[in-house]
Amino acid sequence: MRLFERLGRAVLVLGLFAVTVFFALHYDANASLWRGMEAAHAVAAPGQQRAPYDLTQLSAVTATLETIRKKYVEPERVNPKAMFLGALDAVQREVAQVIVTHEDKAPTVKVQVETESREYRVDDVQGPWDVSARLRDVFAFLQANLKDSGTDLRQVEYAACNGILRTLDPHSTFLSPDAYREMNLSTSGHFGGLGIVISIRDQLLTVMRPMPDTPAGRAGLKRYDRILKINNEATLNMPLDDAVQRLRGQPGTKVTVWVRRDGPEGWEGMRPFELTREEISVRSVTSQALGGGVGYVKLEQFQSTTAEELQQALTELGKKDKLVGLVMDLRNNPGGLLDQAAKVADLFVSDGVLVTTVGGSEGRDEKRATPGSKPAYPIVVLINGNSASASEIVAGALKNSGRAIVVGQTSFGKGSVQLVFPRVTPEGAALKLTIAQYLTPGDLSIQGVGVRPDVELDPMTVDSLEMDLFRSDAAGLKERDLTRSLASGGRRSTEQSFFELRYNLPEKERARLRELGADADDEFRLDF
């Protein structure tokens, strides 16, 4: 369907576009809190004893190299020498006692632990199994010289695996057993914990948002409360992941957090809050009626229940007033599960391809819309530069199939597909590897370019001192800016926005958004 026809359909509901622009200019402040949500790399509980670990068995390295050989999307990107050096560099970053020295184009690399050192050849590392053989020698040297240092040798090998994977692309990663469990919790939407968003601010563990009707919310914890102790353990200099591990736990168990609150409602010193953990269900879809039969749905991320939640939200909106138009907000949505993105698009598209995946060993796979009665009302989709991955699949599917008008800024541009290979080691570690790229309808790739909106919003602010106009969002980091980002896997769209809407963004509002951006750039963890 031509763009003019799509615009014509949208005009059938005159209030829809006006409301859409309003929401585009005044988005929910809490939306940005979800941008940094990723799996927490937790550590073992304090005092937990682990069996001795033999680095020279290469259990994680072997699984990583074998999976890359069989499944990686672009085998031509595999560089064994770079992998070996990448592994050593990652180990150096993980272990303070290890120093790695390598001059560019030098035939050897020097590995030093305290006062002991050894050199290894790099000029003859030509295949994946050369990487294994050379790392086995290095690991034997490290293991012998780190045995009394208290270093967790598992983490040494996990770091080496991530060093290998970083030579491929920015999204392939090795997950420790704890990180793998955290990832599963994140995508399930169910957590045992307290119900707070936490971050490190001013080097202190800080509450960023307590969720309503959760242990933390009912106890009266507030934004910017400082958590100084968890039970009897001080949080000063405690890594964020460690704090998450201590706050989460089985429903019904108790934890005491010692809180300092500044400001007029605060108190001197610390105050204890004894909280009982609960099963917290996090909804990925929120909705509200905008009046006149227009509904608004906000998709925070794509977890295992997102399509079902969206269908329920649409049903509830339709009970209040028959829907004649819909605003779907995908701004700051970092993505999630591919199958849920396809299911969300399938709720509105009755025919044709929704998304295609293409990759070396995976071949070509098309996910098509299921036939049947689908809503016919016009849809406006909101996106911005932080709409990534699965959210781009939905925006691209609805746009390129002629089902929706897309409004906002060009999306992030992540067009690659990662598959998680579970339990690749006896300890339960997992590997997330890029196995394919996806194409939106018409075989259009968004890798590195993103989804271009039909109506582009260009916020401008007048600088009264410099007498200048400038964008409020700057360009922001995009997929194309990431190290080792993949090239486009298909035909790129050359379509331009049909209309560019410039508007004044007052300096006060700009400052508020700048503050939200600073929050979003922090490394947040959801303690549910």
Side-chain angles (χ1 to χ4, degrees):
M1 185 182 297
R2 296 175 61 86
L3 176 60
F4 290 104
E5 295 172 348
R6 288 192 283 140
L7 287 171
R9 296 184 65 227
V11 172
L12 292 176
V13 183
L14 295 177
L16 177 59
F17 183 76
V19 172
T20 298
V21 173
F22 174 83
F23 271 87
L25 307 188
H26 303 84
Y27 63 85
D28 180 7
N30 289 329
S32 64
L33 296 180
W34 292 81
R35 286 175 50 192
M37 179 177 169
E38 298 172 350
H41 292 251
V43 297
Q48 180 177 338
Q49 298 296 318
R50 287 183 167 181
Y53 190 80
D54 186 0
L55 268 178
T56 63
Q57 292 297 312
L58 297 179
S59 60
V61 167
T62 299
T64 298
L65 292 172
E66 180 68 10
T67 308
I68 291 171
R69 185 182 68 83
K70 292 180 177 179
K71 293 293 186 177
Y72 190 64
V73 60
E74 292 185 16
E76 61 273 16
R77 293 172 72 94
V78 175
N79 183 327
K81 178 180 175 181
M83 285 179 165
F84 176 59
L85 292 173
L88 296 185
D89 181 62
V91 169
Q92 174 182 233
R93 295 172 184 271
E94 176 73 19
V95 185
Q97 299 94 320
V98 176
I99 298 175
V100 177
T101 307
H102 176 253
E103 299 295 334
D104 189 34
K105 298 183 180 179
T108 61
V109 60
K110 179 181 177 181
V111 180
Q112 181 175 338
V113 183
E114 302 291 358
T115 59
E116 299 295 322
S117 65
R118 190 166 297 178
E119 290 195 359
Y120 301 90
R121 289 185 63 184
V122 297
D123 58 341
D124 60 348
V125 177
Q126 299 179 347
W129 308 123
D130 295 329
V131 177
S132 292
R134 205 54 44 82
L135 280 177
R136 180 177 283 109
D137 293 341
V138 174
F139 283 174
F141 171 69
L142 294 178
Q143 187 162 278
N145 288 278
L146 291 172
K147 60 182 179 181
D148 298 323
S149 68
T151 301
D152 187 344
L153 297 182
R154 289 175 178 82
Q155 297 301 324
V156 174
E157 186 170 7
Y158 297 163
C161 291
N162 271 314
I164 289 171
L165 292 166
R166 274 196 291 269
T167 67
L168 299 176
D169 66 76
H171 304 296
S172 294
T173 186
F174 193 88
L175 302 171
S176 70
D178 290 327
Y180 177 51
R181 284 191 292 271
E182 293 289 343
M183 185 193 70
N184 287 333
L185 286 174
S186 296
T187 56
S188 72
H190 298 278
F191 305 82
L194 307 178
I196 50 176
V197 179
I198 60 175
S199 180
I200 302 294
R201 300 295 294 267
D202 304 320
Q203 299 182 330
L204 295 174
L205 186 64
T206 304
V207 175
M208 302 309 300
R209 179 166 61 92
M211 299 181 64
D213 197 27
T214 63
R218 291 192 295 270
L221 290 182
K222 296 182 179 295
R223 179 174 169 86
Y224 296 135
D225 279 351
R226 309 291 197 171
I227 299 178
L228 302 184
K229 288 201 307 183
I230 300 173
N231 291 326
N232 292 319
E233 188 173 3
T235 61
L236 184 64
N237 297 323
M238 179 183 289
L240 193 58
D241 295 331
D242 292 18
V244 170
Q245 185 70 8
R246 287 156 175 75
L247 292 172
R248 284 182 178 170
Q250 290 296 320
T253 59
K254 294 183 181 296
V255 61
T256 300
V257 295
W258 295 77
V259 173
R260 188 189 82 200
R261 180 175 299 168
D262 301 324
E265 298 181 2
W267 49 76
E268 293 291 331
M270 296 183 292
R271 181 175 295 182
F273 288 75
E274 186 181 60
L275 306 174
T276 301
R277 299 180 178 97
E278 293 180 1
E279 180 75 17
I280 309 296
S281 296
V282 183
R283 294 189 63 84
S284 60
V285 178
T286 57
S287 63
Q288 68 181 93
L290 302 179
V294 177
Y296 169 86
V297 289
K298 169 71 175 173
L299 278 63
E300 303 283 6
Q301 63 171 341
F302 288 85
Q303 59 192 42
S304 58
T305 58
T306 296
E308 180 182 352
E309 289 180 37
L310 178 57
Q311 182 62 74
Q312 292 172 352
L314 295 174
T315 300
E316 290 301 315
L317 287 170
K319 288 180 181 178
K320 299 174 183 177
D321 200 355
K322 181 181 178 181
L323 286 179
V324 297
L326 181 69
V327 178
M328 181 185 296
D329 194 344
L330 297 177
R331 289 167 303 170
N332 301 311
N333 184 320
L337 300 178
L338 173 66
D339 70 311
Q340 289 296 307
K343 288 179 180 179
V344 166
D346 192 32
L347 293 176
F348 306 101
V349 180
S350 58
D351 183 49
V353 175
L354 300 172
V355 62
T356 301
T357 57
V358 290
S361 64
E362 302 303 306
R364 179 183 175 93
D365 178 60
E366 293 181 345
K367 294 186 182 297
R368 304 186 66 89
T370 57
S373 177
K374 307 289 176 72
Y377 47 69
I379 301 171
V380 171
V381 175
L382 302 180
I383 63 172
N384 64 8
N386 299 311
S387 303
S389 194
S391 57
E392 294 177 287
I393 290 175
V394 173
L398 297 182
K399 174 186 177 180
N400 296 344
S401 63
R403 187 61 189 86
I405 300 296
V406 177
V407 177
Q409 288 94 34
T410 301
S411 61
F412 185 78
K414 181 182 178 293
S416 59
V417 179
Q418 286 71 44
L419 179 65
V420 176
F421 297 87
R423 302 190 177 280
V424 295
T425 69
E427 297 79 31
L431 173 64
K432 184 172 74 171
L433 187 70
T434 302
I435 62 164
Q437 291 194 39
Y438 68 79
L439 308 176
T440 57
D443 277 2
L444 295 176
S445 172
I446 61 92
Q447 173 63 23
V449 294
V451 176
R452 190 72 179 263
D454 296 310
V455 179
E456 184 172 6
L457 301 182
D458 188 7
M460 312 293 286
T461 301
V462 177
D463 186 333
S464 58
L465 296 178
E466 301 285 341
M467 293 303 294
D468 192 16
L469 288 173
F470 47 90
R471 295 177 63 97
S472 68
D473 59 353
L477 186 70
K478 297 293 184 70
E479 171 74 18
R480 61 178 176 268
D481 303 316
L482 301 180
T483 303
R484 302 291 297 168
S485 178
L486 297 178
S488 176
R491 184 168 60 90
R492 293 193 178 197
S493 172
T494 58
E495 183 181 9
Q496 299 296 309
S497 297
F498 176 73
F499 179 71
E500 182 177 6
L501 175 62
R502 293 181 173 177
Y503 63 93
N504 175 51
L505 185 69
E507 180 59 35
K508 183 177 180 180
E509 182 70 3
R510 161 191 276 279
R512 185 182 72 87
L513 296 180
R514 187 183 296 116
E515 180 182 351
L516 290 176
D519 282 351
D521 288 339
D522 285 340
E523 185 180 16
F524 283 92
R525 288 293 180 264
L526 295 173
D527 168 45
F528 294 119

